[in-house]
Amino acid sequence: MSEILKQNKSGWEGIEEELKSKIFEFSKQYIEFLNKSKTEREIVTNAENLAIASGFKHLDEYTELHAGDKVYYKNRDKNLYLAVIGSQDIEAGINIIGAHGDSPRLDLKPNPLYQTGNFSYFNTHYYGGIKKYQWTAIPLAIHGVIVKENGEKITVSIGENEDEPVFVITDLLPHLAKAQNQKKLGEAIEGEKLDVVVGNIPIKEDKSEEDEKAKADKKAGKVKQNIMRILNQKYGITEEDFFSSELEVVPAFKARTLGFDESLVAGYGQDDKVCVYTSLRAILNVEKPQRTAVCLFSDKEEIGSMGNTGMESHVFDTFISEILNKLRVNRPNLLDKVFCNSKMLSADVDAGVDPLYTDVQDLENAGFMGHGVALNKYTGSGGKYNASDANAEYVAQIRKIFNDNNIKYQLAELGKVDVGGGGTIAYILANKGIDVIDCGIPILSMHSPYEVASKFDIYQAFLAYTAFFNN
Ligand code: MN
Ligand code: MN
């Protein structure tokens, strides 16, 4: 019977020491990358640097493209597209892997700094699907950019190093939380209460300056004034400069190995930076492929993929069009034809089975941690609504690639029917005519400040993406 029944056991079972040490070494590099890449801008910068070190050149540096050339394009510091030109006629299609670099977080509002009582705060607006209570009483860091009127860009990262302060959102002590504890979990912490403590010392009074301006400043609050003074000294900014800033509040803790057996990685932003890193490493290894290999890291996936850095924008199409131009093969409709012949793995994380919460999963159709990459034939919710459903013919092709290359994989759904659901960027590329299937890593505590992934699955994703590019 063993030949006709499918296998679904842990990849750690009976693992060879040699493979295990490769897995641990890969994860170590991944953890280092994750710790430097907490935002979409940072992941794009760090991925760009690795690509350049591997011989990739900016699209503008090429007047013509030829087989074997490595080219990239960066869209507004938030998207990165990488391609290795294949030897086959590009009309026969390209192999794409797409992940997203943005993760759930708290964004500062346009007028963030205020004082209430004797504290000064940054007011935030959360980004993506978070469980708000998870963001209180943990150390937070602030990353991002402030752009001055003259275009000067100030890069901010504070709260990561031991000698830097951290920030925190306070919560009520249990002794006084009787009423709060009666509330529903999703309502106990309000979005407007997700404000970050930034200071408590009032500014020194200057008695000589009792003009109208000074009176107005006093209204703003002495603690706020003091924080603004510090920010002015540290970054050279005025309060109005916040208008043109993108500052993101993220967990300050470092990604770490988890467990006595060191089998797991715990860290912020693994959705979807784990797929960014594994697909990046895969394309950096591609040399002279038959089909053009393309890796893309999109932005704004967590809030619907809209805008000119989201997957819904046409910037990716423009990148591929430019490749067609520089291959000197472009003609009307060729881009559409290339897309119709193309294949894609939508590389995004999957809801891993949490043994403490199995009631939300159909265990015959769920992704298990340590059982390899998870293919989701379709996502969507409530009757496959809004699903991008991979065609059976395409799933068969992917199965063959994975089996031929000894990739450990599983087929999963995102939770029980009628329980929930979700989506990725898959449908956006499928709408262009590309064959797409979701292929990612099962994780636990998704969208929390400290997500958990299996080192075995991380390495399998790297092997799976590598095999996909080479087929
Ligand atoms: Mn995701
Ligand atoms: Mn997500």
Side-chain angles (χ1 to χ4, degrees), residues 197-256:
V197 171
V198 295
N200 186 227
I201 300 178
I203 200 162
K204 253 194 213 154
E205 290 245 41
D206 186 351
K207 292 263 192 279
S208 63
E209 229 189 284
E210 278 297 324
D211 57 6
E212 285 307 302
K213 173 84 176 64
K215 273 182 207 157
D217 283 354
K218 258 189 191 163
K219 255 188 162 171
K222 288 182 192 171
V223 181
K224 172 181 168 174
Q225 280 181 63
N226 193 38
I227 295 299
M228 203 54 239
R229 181 190 60 81
I230 293 168
L231 292 174
N232 179 265
Q233 279 174 359
K234 192 172 168 58
Y235 300 110
I237 59 163
T238 64
E239 193 175 8
E240 197 185 317
D241 289 327
F242 281 121
F243 288 173
S244 47
S245 71
E246 288 178 348
L247 294 167
E248 305 177 7
V249 179
V250 296
F253 13 83
K254 300 256 175 279
R256 306 277 288 268

